[in-house]
Amino acid sequence: MNNNSLSFLKNKLIRKLNIYLFDRRVSRGVKLPVKHILLINWNGRIGDAIVSSSFLKAINSAGNITVSVVTTNNLKSLYTDYYGVSNVYTVHSKNMLIQLWRISRELKDVDTVIPLMGYLNFKDLFFINLLNPNNLFGLDDELGRANIQMGSKVDGLYIHEIFSYILTKLGIRQLSKEYTVPVNINNKIKRYDIVFNSFASRLDKSFSIGKSVEILQLISQKYPLYKIGVLSCPQRYQIATEIVSITNRSSVEIVEGINTYYDAIDAINKSNIVISIDTSLVHAASGLNKKLVSVYYQPGEQFNRWVPKESTNTEIIFSKGPADYEVKNMNNFNTKSVFFAINRLLNYEKHKNGRNVFLYWNTSEETIPLIHKMNIDNIRNRLNKTGWNVIVTSLIEDSKDYVENYIELPDYFFDIKNKIDDFSSINGNQSDIIRLRLLEKFGGVYFDTSTILLKDSIDEIDLFQNLSKSAKATLAGYTNVTFTRKNSDGSNYFLNAKDGMELGVLYAKKNSNILKIFNDEIDKYWKWKTKDNFYKEYQPFKDLMLTSVSFLNEYHIHYSIFHMMLTRDCTLLSELITQSSHMAGKENSFVDGPYSVSDRFCRGSSGYESAEPKYLLYAFIDGDLNMYNGINTTLSCRKKIFFNCDLISIPSYMRVEIEQYFNTQVDYYQLVSAYHDFYKLDHKS
């Protein structure tokens, strides 16, 4: 038996003894009224105190509840001066049980106890047993003494959300979720663009010197105009000096004058960006709404409820480690991820107005095929000076629009190639993941690079206007009959065939609920998927008995997930606005959609036959061509038809003949075609 096993067995026996001595089962449910609450924070963690500040504010606003805290001496003034706590009792490590017994004599009227910890040990149970409160809010569901057992109910919630849950149970309204952070101005402390903290409470929970230097050298190289201050304390000053010396960059220096925790908070308050390891300073930075990059240890897939609250100002990086770790390795993450996280914070600030047009190509823009490059240039030219930002993202790390400068890619993203048999679907699957996450975070528009934009502003597009006017809808797109589920009589299973929405052109509002659900479901699918797991055997698909139209192929797996979402919860339909992608009069189309060109000219006499790429070429170049109904058209006539559309989408198989005909950029200028008007090109003979 190894040391880990012996330690585990010992702790288990001690816990059973503690429960035997002090635990007893009580009836469940909150016992009201609550008049005196005790918070236990005798570990002396200032981060825990900061996170509880919005909770304490809500309790104080109720006006008829006394709050007491058991903590350490260093936090006494914080609780009394900043958080309005009525009684603060301090303890220290020596003779602690005697101290707790004495405090219990003074707290006879406490009716509710909230310990700021998970599993309760001997001293916790001993003290609670002495107090014998009416209410014990516990995260430890094994204890019968906790009449409000929160463990399973708050599983997956962060600590600030747990405090909100407690307020709900107490019937108290939370007016604000903002933390109160004590700021004491120290005029000796300078201002920095970036403040860097590599130290936790112990050195083994801190960054190594090597990792600290690596981060500082990278950030100072990428942001040469930023002044970077390295935080320390009197006990860590010498190590911080060594880190700065090895980094050897003129823009990096120690923040002088840090003698207390409040000095460190002042330095953070004076900065623009904070990079910190998991420590209480993270919660201070979060409470001060600083742009924050924080690094936390993640053993296995374990959830950490103590990470800072979710915010567009916060990026979390996880240092991965084994579930049965003995020592935390806080250095097990890609240093570049810190740089990308900073870029995400800055880019969100720059693009948060939602007027963004995103495109994506997996390689650099210089290598994009000509027809796609022409489409991108057309979009840029048309939207120039309209207030719409055109952003062509890629998977090239060194490019300014590398996708992780905007969104964090999920862990499975680069492993998709090992999860599927059809390698041709990798780029499509990855592209879907990117576009949906971009739109959830930023809002705006996504265009496939095959899109020919025919309007001079996104604001002129009908479908975008309809989305903007809607009070409830947050996502809009064009439906294709290929992907729509039918009833036995041939009618659409979903209202307006909304399940057939293409992902090639999308309009979205920021923080769209349906996109959040969509992205969460995509994550669940790819975490399940392996080469041995056939995609049609995904249990949620089977549970909902999706029809065959939902399974075109693995390339379109995200369409299957979309069908699954709508089948499971049809109320999501109200969050969608769609328009048919087809020509007016076909299916449920009232106006010409992005596929109307191929419907009219490439699909035979009914407009339903398989499309032939050569006829799309003929539609775009000079010469006569019959429509599906036999009416003859000239190029001039066809241009008028084309500009009834807001945009034209061309599937890859339909571009074959066009790409062969327009070989070079010169061809687009010299050959007579609709592209002169699409792209607003001067004709050159």
Side-chain angles (χ1 to χ4, degrees):
M1 187 176 290
N2 59 34
N3 290 337
N4 276 350
S5 300
L6 285 170
S7 177
F8 174 78
L9 183 59
K10 178 183 175 183
N11 290 336
K12 192 171 183 180
L13 289 171
I14 291 172
R15 178 167 173 76
K16 284 189 176 296
L17 178 61
N18 289 340
I19 290 174
Y20 174 77
L21 291 173
F22 300 115
D23 194 29
R24 62 185 176 85
R25 189 161 296 280
V26 298
S27 59
R28 299 285 173 260
V30 180
K31 296 176 179 64
L32 298 174
V34 171
K35 295 184 177 181
H36 190 170
I37 295 174
L38 175 70
L39 283 184
I40 297 176
N41 183 15
W42 51 47
N43 292 326
R45 292 172 178 163
I46 192 168
D48 296 11
I50 290 172
V51 172
S52 69
S53 61
S54 58
F55 169 82
L56 291 169
K57 190 184 300 181
I59 297 294
N60 291 334
S61 69
N64 57 352
I65 300 175
T66 300
V67 178
S68 297
V69 174
V70 179
T71 187
T72 51
N73 191 58
N74 64 309
L75 295 186
K76 183 175 182 178
S77 62
L78 177 65
Y79 279 114
T80 55
D81 299 345
Y82 290 92
Y83 297 157
V85 172
S86 304
N87 309 297
V88 177
Y89 301 90
T90 62
V91 294
H92 51 82
S93 57
K94 189 176 180 181
N95 299 322
M96 193 166 185
L97 293 181
I98 295 174
Q99 297 173 67
L100 294 177
W101 180 82
R102 288 172 178 166
I103 291 171
S104 72
R105 300 300 91 193
E106 300 181 49
L107 288 171
K108 289 186 179 297
D109 62 340
V110 165
D111 52 54
T112 301
V113 174
I114 303 172
L116 298 184
M117 66 277 287
Y119 284 108
L120 304 184
N121 62 28
F122 178 82
K123 69 176 181 293
D124 308 323
L125 294 170
F126 168 76
F127 185 55
I128 290 167
N129 193 56
L130 291 174
L131 294 173
N132 193 26
N134 293 334
N135 299 305
L136 174 62
F137 284 85
L139 294 170
D140 188 347
D141 283 353
E142 191 177 349
L143 294 181
R145 184 64 187 76
N147 58 309
I148 304 96
Q149 292 186 327
M150 300 188 296
S152 59
K153 295 181 179 63
V154 300
D155 188 37
L157 295 185
Y158 296 106
I159 193 66
H160 62 277
E161 296 171 321
I162 294 174
F163 277 121
S164 296
Y165 175 86
I166 295 172
L167 288 172
T168 302
K169 287 293 183 183
L170 295 174
I172 297 173
R173 185 182 173 197
Q174 185 165 10
L175 300 175
S176 171
K177 294 184 180 180
E178 296 300 314
Y179 300 158
T180 300
V181 181
V183 177
N184 296 326
I185 304 300
N186 182 340
N187 292 325
K188 294 180 180 179
I189 295 174
K190 293 167 56 176
R191 294 182 179 275
Y192 292 90
D193 298 295
I194 298 175
V195 162
F196 174 76
N197 172 51
S198 64
F199 300 114
S201 56
R202 301 196 314 261
L203 284 177
D204 62 310
K205 296 170 66 177
S206 305
F207 291 146
S208 67
I209 292 175
K211 192 67 170 182
S212 300
V213 169
E214 201 174 289
I215 294 170
L216 289 167
Q217 287 183 337
L218 176 66
I219 301 305
S220 59
Q221 175 197 345
K222 297 293 186 180
Y223 291 100
L225 299 180
Y226 282 20
K227 200 72 176 172
I228 303 172
V230 177
L231 286 177
S232 66
C233 61
Q235 297 91 331
R236 303 282 185 259
Y237 186 85
Q238 198 58 44
I239 299 174
T241 302
E242 185 178 354
I243 289 170
V244 170
S245 175
I246 298 172
T247 300
N248 194 26
R249 296 285 167 81
S250 59
S251 60
V252 179
E253 62 185 36
I254 289 181
V255 182
E256 298 289 357
I258 305 294
N259 295 307
T260 69
Y261 184 84
Y262 297 103
D263 291 335
I265 290 179
D266 182 46
I268 286 172
N269 192 44
K270 289 174 178 174
S271 70
N272 296 322
I273 300 169
V274 177
I275 304 171
S276 178
I277 202 159
D278 169 16
T279 187
S280 56
L281 290 176
V282 165
H283 299 294
S286 175
L288 292 168
N289 291 315
K290 293 298 175 181
K291 291 180 175 62
L292 169 66
V293 180
S294 56
V295 179
Y296 277 72
Y297 186 69
Q298 185 178 45
E301 295 299 318
Q302 185 176 311
F303 174 75
N304 188 337
R305 59 170 49 100
W306 286 97
V307 300
K309 59 187 176 181
E310 186 176 352
S311 164
T312 53
N313 270 343
T314 300
E315 290 284 339
I316 310 296
I317 296 170
F318 288 105
S319 180
K320 304 286 186 177
D324 58 345
Y325 70 97
E326 289 187 38
V327 178
K328 291 182 178 181
N329 178 2
M330 298 303 300
N331 307 296
N332 192 26
F333 62 94
N334 187 341
T335 302
K336 283 186 179 179
S337 61
V338 177
F339 169 61
F340 299 142
I342 292 173
N343 291 342
R344 286 196 291 273
L345 295 172
L346 296 176
N347 275 325
Y348 184 80
E349 186 67 27
K350 183 178 178 182
H351 299 298
K352 65 182 179 182
N353 66 0
R355 294 178 67 81
N356 309 295
V357 177
F358 292 104
L359 300 99
Y360 165 77
W361 195 265
N362 63 324
T363 58
S364 65
E365 195 167 337
E366 292 73 26
T367 65
I368 294 176
L370 178 61
I371 193 169
H372 296 279
K373 190 176 187 314
M374 296 295 287
N375 288 338
I376 293 169
D377 288 345
N378 170 57
I379 292 168
R380 283 182 171 138
N381 292 336
R382 285 183 177 274
L383 300 182
N384 186 31
K385 297 180 181 179
T386 65
W388 282 89
N389 306 303
V390 179
I391 303 166
V392 184
T393 59
S394 79
L395 286 183
I396 303 301
E397 286 191 359
D398 292 336
S399 71
K400 75 178 181 65
D401 289 323
Y402 172 56
V403 71
E404 288 206 272
N405 290 332
Y406 294 90
I407 55 169
E408 185 177 12
L409 293 174
D411 289 343
Y412 60 77
F413 183 86
F414 292 104
D415 195 41
I416 286 178
K417 63 181 181 295
N418 299 317
K419 293 173 174 280
I420 57 179
D421 292 315
D422 180 9
F423 287 169
S424 65
S425 69
I426 294 172
N427 287 339
N429 294 150
Q430 290 181 328
S431 176
D432 286 347
I433 291 165
I434 287 169
R435 73 189 68 185
L436 295 171
R437 286 174 177 251
L438 283 169
L439 290 179
E440 181 193 342
K441 181 175 181 179
F442 290 95
V445 181
Y446 179 86
F447 285 148
D448 272 347
T449 54
S450 58
T451 305
I452 302 172
L453 180 61
L454 300 177
K455 297 294 184 183
D456 289 331
S457 176
I458 301 299
D459 302 282
E460 297 176 21
I461 296 175
D462 286 341
L463 187 51
F464 177 79
Q465 290 177 6
N466 293 337
L467 176 66
S468 300
K469 293 172 186 174
S470 173
K472 189 166 186 180
T474 60
L475 180 65
Y478 300 93
T479 59
N480 180 353
V481 293
T482 306
F483 302 116
T484 55
R485 187 174 179 179
K486 303 294 183 184
N487 294 312
S488 57
D489 62 357
S491 61
N492 292 316
Y493 184 88
F494 291 105
L495 178 67
N496 295 327
K498 288 186 175 183
D499 60 323
M501 193 177 71
E502 291 266 10
L503 300 183
V505 176
L506 295 170
Y507 311 95
K509 294 177 183 176
K510 187 165 57 176
N511 301 320
S512 161
N513 174 63
I514 192 169
L515 276 179
K516 183 180 189 315
I517 294 171
F518 200 178
N519 286 325
D520 287 346
E521 292 298 337
I522 288 172
D523 286 348
K524 291 174 187 175
Y525 170 82
W526 284 111
K527 288 174 183 176
W528 166 85
K529 184 72 176 74
T530 66
K531 280 194 176 180
D532 294 330
N533 291 338
F534 185 51
Y535 73 98
K536 290 185 182 180
E537 295 300 313
Y538 186 46
Q539 193 61 46
F541 294 161
K542 296 170 72 175
D543 291 343
L544 293 167
M545 296 180 288
L546 296 189
T547 59
S548 58
V549 74
S550 300
F551 301 109
L552 296 178
N553 48 50
E554 199 166 16
Y555 178 87
H556 293 94
I557 189 58
H558 299 137
Y559 290 93
S560 304
I561 294 172
F562 190 65
H563 280 208
M564 178 195 74
M565 289 167 48
L566 297 181
T567 302
R568 184 175 58 204
D569 183 4
C570 62
T571 64
L572 293 174
L573 292 169
S574 64
E575 299 183 38
L576 285 172
I577 291 182
T578 58
Q579 177 184 317
S580 173
S581 61
H582 299 290
M583 65 179 176
K586 181 175 178 180
E587 291 289 317
N588 61 340
S589 182
F590 298 102
V591 297
D592 284 344
Y595 287 176
S596 62
V597 177
S598 59
D599 288 340
R600 278 203 171 87
F601 297 102
C602 309
R603 294 186 180 276
S605 59
S606 70
Y608 280 94
E609 292 82 3
S610 296
E612 293 192 40
K614 65 180 179 180
Y615 289 109
L616 187 62
L617 171 63
Y618 299 158
F620 283 178
I621 63 176
D622 197 22
D624 289 358
L625 182 67
N626 288 345
M627 287 195 290
Y628 74 102
N629 56 11
I631 296 176
N632 185 261
T633 63
T634 64
L635 178 60
S636 179
C637 294
R638 294 194 294 278
K639 286 179 184 178
K640 293 177 183 177
I641 294 171
F642 299 155
F643 279 92
N644 279 331
C645 305
D646 292 325
L647 49 89
I648 295 172
S649 292
I650 306 177
S652 57
Y653 77 96
M654 290 292 289
R655 294 194 299 267
V656 177
E657 301 276 347
I658 294 175
E659 291 180 82
Q660 291 175 354
Y661 188 80
F662 294 90
N663 246 315
T664 66
Q665 192 167 7
V666 174
D667 291 337
Y668 285 98
Y669 286 96
Q670 293 188 345
L671 300 174
V672 180
S673 73
Y675 280 112
H676 292 148
D677 298 82
F678 292 164
Y679 297 158
K680 295 185 176 182
L681 302 176
D682 292 329
H683 182 67
K684 296 181 180 180
S685 58

